Amino acid sequence: TPQGSSVSRSSIGSTQHSSSSLWLAAVQADQVACRLAGDTVRVLLPLAKVAAAVIDGELWRGCGYSSMHDFTREELERSSKWLRLYAALHRAVVRLPGLRGAVTGEDGGAPIGMSKALLVARVASTETLASWVERARRLTVDELREAVSGGDREAEAVAPSAEDIAEAPGVLWGFPSPPSVCAAFDSALDLYRRLEGGDATVTSFIEALVAEDYSSDRPPDVFQGCLRAGEPRLDSVEIPSGNELPAMAVARELLEKLDDTIARAGVGSDREVLGQLQWFVTAADVMERHLASLLMEMSASGLVHELGFSSIGAYAENRLGLSRTSIEDRVRVARSLAKRPRVQRAYVAGSIGLEKALLAVQILGPGYVDASSENEWAAHLKECTVKRLRDEKRALLFAASVESRAGAPSPMSDEAWLASLRCAPGDTAMEVQRAGQVACNDGPLVPVAGSVLRWRLPIELARDFGACIDTRCKYLTLDAAACDWSQPISDEDPPSWRAARTFSTACRRLPPWVGLLAMLEEFCAQHDRAEKRSASHSEVLVRARHRCEAPGCTSRRVEWHHRQYRSRGGSDHHDNGDALCPTHHRHGQHGGYMHVTGDPPLERTWRLGPARNSTWYRNERRIDAPELRGPEST
């Protein structure tokens, strides 16, 4: 009818107008994001120069840390890989001076950022640099990575070191899982770190699980493909002078000081270089926080998809030249802290960094937290080391999921935190068994909601890990189907077998978390036997969870340090002992870069760094101890 036609034309016109308005808003937001990202990129090169100076001089030892990993985590709240990549960027720019202008866009083109610059440096020579830079500006990061590794090289490649390799392509992979299985995974990960002797990554732990599964008598025989979404290219646009945001004013204020700091970058005493590193990291944090807030709004309003990108990480990496993982973490923190105003204020003010904010998000969860408890957490996050916060996250999540402790978590007292560290041989296997039993008792046939095990893994590893889990589920299903249904399930049976029997009886398919639980049970049964006791399993090591007790140190290769030396009448009682890694034992306590006073274990006071420039800790908390800054006795 005419009336129907009129309505139809009006609807079409409204849709077209709405689509045009959304595209215009997306382009304007993209212009603002490019300006903020351009300011962020300016910090790359001076920060890279300072990072190279820190690594070459091993300046973390002067701060009392035994490894670069512990230094970057506690002082910068970044990973050691992050610092190595910046140092690799500096070496690439020194070898290829023409790369400097391409990184920041000073050569007149769009900035290519760190990821693309490291990929170009792997294959380019002085003669072929211009063509590789032009290719980097045309291609996405994934396409450029394939061009670099697929034989499309115009010059003989310089053999890259481990530090020169850009971040490998990864995929966000996971599946729904009961919270208790998540706690079991954390317990098994801690056991793996004890075996490795340090703070090993989740990726390396999963690699170990996959390797053991492939070497078993039932290796994986299935293939699980991983989808890779291609990201579209977006041509550069002219950035107008308008569209100013408060974030830009903050960035300009920081960049006004940048020119003066660049001239001194990487030059000066060890203390000055460390101060420069802290300043550049703070400047990068401020600009990344403001950029993440803008990207969060772009994602919530659908502007990222309107521009043709599948995710914020893809937009940040391929359009802005920034790290995908870092921006995704920033946006996740900005979203989660929106309902945690007190913790959010500490994060925005820079009192806590990205790592502590991520830990706060995991500990507090999505539930309600009253104002007083949130204030306690905000103060707790500021003074505690990342090492202790990770311990508390593990203990609190285990208590909530396995021991069914209800209510919002509160910061752990020193006594409770120290008690949670105790770990004798066989304890981890018992924790995994308890967690698995809770998963079976909570109704395994009920679909899991609200709890997800999620990791960002290399694509090949994600495929192999998925194949291992599917194979475990397959064999558990076959064994359960062959079992007599009338045979009762014993409490002594492994939880994964109990879950398999339950699903088989109900004619239901096993979910992936059952296969993962079976892998964790076998790993703990193999490497954490209660009967495997030796002289190294002393009370001191059990008290310290087989980890160096120096603040911020995660080394698992520990030695016994006598507080009162045996040459001076000291005993071998555990109250007279500390668990220290070789570096803190020999170069720290006996070398003057660390000092310990007080009675163990709760009254221990630690000094890290030389006496003239030191930081004091007690129970992994930073403290102000002016009374201890005088002459010290040994």
Side-chain angles (χ1 to χ4, degrees):
T1 63
Q3 183 178 3
S5 300
S6 176
V7 173
S8 177
R9 287 194 298 270
S10 175
S11 176
I12 294 174
S14 176
T15 302
Q16 292 176 345
H17 178 73
S18 176
S19 177
S20 301
S21 300
L22 187 62
W23 170 251
L24 179 61
V27 171
Q28 292 176 344
D30 175 68
Q31 293 170 351
V32 177
C34 287
R35 294 193 65 187
L36 287 175
D39 293 337
T40 305
V41 168
R42 285 194 59 192
V43 185
L44 285 180
L45 294 180
L47 178 54
K49 185 177 180 181
V50 176
V54 171
I55 291 179
D56 294 341
E58 297 185 350
L59 302 187
W60 56 85
R61 299 192 183 277
C63 299
Y65 291 96
S66 62
S67 67
M68 176 175 58
H69 175 75
D70 293 330
F71 166 74
T72 54
R73 186 191 64 251
E74 298 295 342
E75 298 296 329
L76 309 177
E77 298 194 35
R78 303 274 185 154
S79 66
S80 57
K81 179 181 178 181
W82 175 88
L83 194 67
R84 290 197 303 269
L85 287 177
Y86 270 93
L89 177 63
H90 175 70
R91 287 192 290 270
V93 170
V94 170
R95 184 172 65 86
L96 301 170
L99 189 61
R100 178 183 299 272
V103 171
T104 59
E106 295 177 357
D107 59 354
I112 63 175
M114 174 184 287
S115 298
K116 290 184 178 180
L118 290 175
L119 289 170
V120 168
R122 289 181 58 186
V123 295
S125 62
T126 305
E127 294 77 16
T128 62
L129 178 61
S131 62
W132 275 106
V133 169
E134 188 273 334
R135 188 177 302 183
R137 286 180 168 137
R138 284 190 295 106
L139 303 178
T140 65
V141 173
D142 290 339
E143 292 171 344
L144 180 62
R145 186 179 288 112
E146 292 177 0
V148 168
S149 61
D152 187 12
R153 303 185 178 187
E154 300 177 1
E156 187 68 23
V158 178
S161 64
E163 297 178 358
D164 294 328
I165 299 176
E167 187 175 358
V171 59
L172 194 61
W173 187 87
F175 47 81
S177 172
S180 55
V181 176
C182 300
F185 183 87
D186 287 342
S187 297
L189 173 61
D190 186 76
L191 170 62
Y192 175 74
R193 286 170 172 167
R194 295 202 300 272
L195 297 172
E196 283 291 294
D199 198 22
T201 62
V202 175
T203 301
S204 63
F205 175 49
I206 292 178
E207 287 176 344
L209 292 177
V210 170
E212 291 195 357
D213 218 47
Y214 268 93
S215 62
S216 66
D217 56 348
R218 286 180 167 182
D221 59 354
V222 296
F223 176 83
Q224 177 161 326
C226 295
L227 298 179
R228 298 182 62 186
E231 302 297 344
R233 294 183 295 271
L234 188 64
D235 297 333
S236 59
V237 297
E238 293 295 329
I239 301 174
S241 58
N243 297 320
E244 291 289 341
L245 292 177
M248 293 184 179
V250 176
R252 296 290 184 272
E253 184 178 350
L254 286 170
L255 293 174
E256 287 177 357
K257 306 176 183 178
L258 183 62
D259 294 335
D260 295 335
T261 312
I262 288 176
R264 304 189 306 272
V267 179
S269 63
D270 293 352
R271 186 175 181 180
E272 291 174 340
V273 172
L274 290 173
Q276 295 167 10
L277 178 64
Q278 190 66 58
W279 189 92
F280 281 118
V281 169
T282 301
D285 284 347
V286 170
M287 288 186 281
E288 284 183 4
R289 284 198 300 267
H290 286 89
L291 181 59
S293 299
L294 174 61
L295 295 182
M296 180 181 65
E297 296 176 0
M298 291 176 63
S299 176
S301 56
L303 301 184
V304 172
H305 293 286
E306 184 70 19
L307 292 170
F309 291 90
S310 62
S311 65
I312 291 177
Y315 175 76
E317 186 176 61
N318 295 308
R319 174 62 171 159
L320 306 179
L322 302 176
S323 169
R324 173 194 292 258
T325 304
S326 178
I327 293 299
E328 286 177 342
D329 287 341
R330 293 279 184 190
V331 172
R332 182 156 66 95
V333 167
R335 284 173 176 163
S336 301
L337 294 185
K339 55 183 177 182
R340 311 282 186 219
R342 294 157 187 84
V343 178
Q344 184 185 49
R345 283 197 293 268
Y347 173 68
V348 172
S351 301
I352 62 174
L354 178 61
E355 180 69 20
K356 289 185 178 180
L358 287 170
L359 289 171
V361 168
Q362 297 176 55
I363 293 173
L364 297 178
Y368 171 76
V369 179
D370 60 84
S372 60
S373 179
E374 190 179 342
N375 283 328
E376 291 179 8
W377 273 111
H380 193 67
L381 291 167
K382 294 177 185 178
E383 64 182 9
C384 285
T385 62
V386 176
K387 173 185 173 182
R388 170 161 174 170
L389 291 173
R390 288 182 176 179
D391 293 337
E392 294 193 18
K393 185 206 80 170
R394 174 187 51 78
L396 290 172
L397 294 185
F398 188 88
S401 59
V402 179
E403 300 174 359
S404 300
R405 296 185 185 177
S410 300
M412 297 181 70
S413 64
D414 293 340
E415 293 80 4
W417 164 73
L418 186 64
S420 71
L421 296 182
R422 292 189 60 86
C423 186
D427 286 356
T428 301
M430 292 178 58
E431 290 179 357
V432 172
Q433 291 290 325
R434 288 180 58 196
Q437 290 172 1
V438 170
C440 294
N441 295 336
D442 286 347
L445 297 179
V446 179
V448 178
S451 178
V452 178
L453 270 171
R454 184 185 292 111
W455 309 275
R456 181 169 292 281
L457 302 174
I459 294 174
E460 296 295 329
L461 179 60
R463 185 183 64 242
D464 292 341
F465 192 34
C468 292
I469 291 176
D470 283 353
T471 302
R472 288 282 179 155
C473 292
K474 170 188 173 182
Y475 285 118
L476 282 171
T477 302
L478 293 176
D479 294 342
C483 183
D484 186 2
W485 285 14
S486 63
Q487 180 180 351
I489 301 177
S490 173
D491 292 337
E492 298 180 358
D493 290 335
S496 59
W497 173 247
R498 295 176 57 192
R501 288 285 308 275
T502 303
F503 278 95
S504 177
T505 304
C507 298
R508 297 275 295 274
R509 180 179 180 180
L510 261 66
W513 65 263
V514 179
L516 174 62
L517 181 60
M519 297 175 68
L520 298 178
E521 291 169 353
E522 183 175 326
F523 179 81
C524 293
Q526 181 69 26
H527 299 287
D528 190 44
R529 299 177 182 176
E531 64 272 12
K532 293 177 63 175
R533 297 179 181 271
S534 64
S536 63
H537 295 134
S538 63
E539 173 62 24
V540 172
L541 301 186
V542 170
R543 177 190 73 199
R545 206 174 184 85
H546 303 263
R547 186 177 59 185
C548 179
E549 291 185 287
C553 184
T554 56
S555 175
R556 308 282 180 153
R557 297 181 174 90
V558 292
E559 302 172 349
W560 181 298
H561 162 67
H562 291 81
R563 179 173 176 265
Q564 183 179 1
Y565 303 155
R566 285 185 295 180
S567 59
R568 301 181 184 179
S571 68
D572 288 333
H573 192 268
H574 60 81
D575 285 342
N576 190 46
D578 292 315
L580 296 179
C581 65
T583 301
H584 278 122
H585 189 196
R586 300 166 193 173
H587 304 289
Q589 177 65 15
H590 297 292
Y593 281 93
M594 186 184 73
H595 185 68
V596 189
T597 61
D599 296 326
L602 293 175
E603 297 302 321
R604 277 281 200 250
T605 302
W606 304 75
R607 186 209 76 201
L608 288 188
R612 64 183 180 277
N613 183 29
S614 58
T615 306
W616 293 87
Y617 297 86
R618 182 177 293 130
N619 298 319
E620 297 291 341
R621 299 173 183 262
R622 294 198 180 202
I623 61 173
D624 186 17
E627 69 279 3
L628 299 175
R629 300 186 184 277
E632 300 170 354
S633 61
T634 58

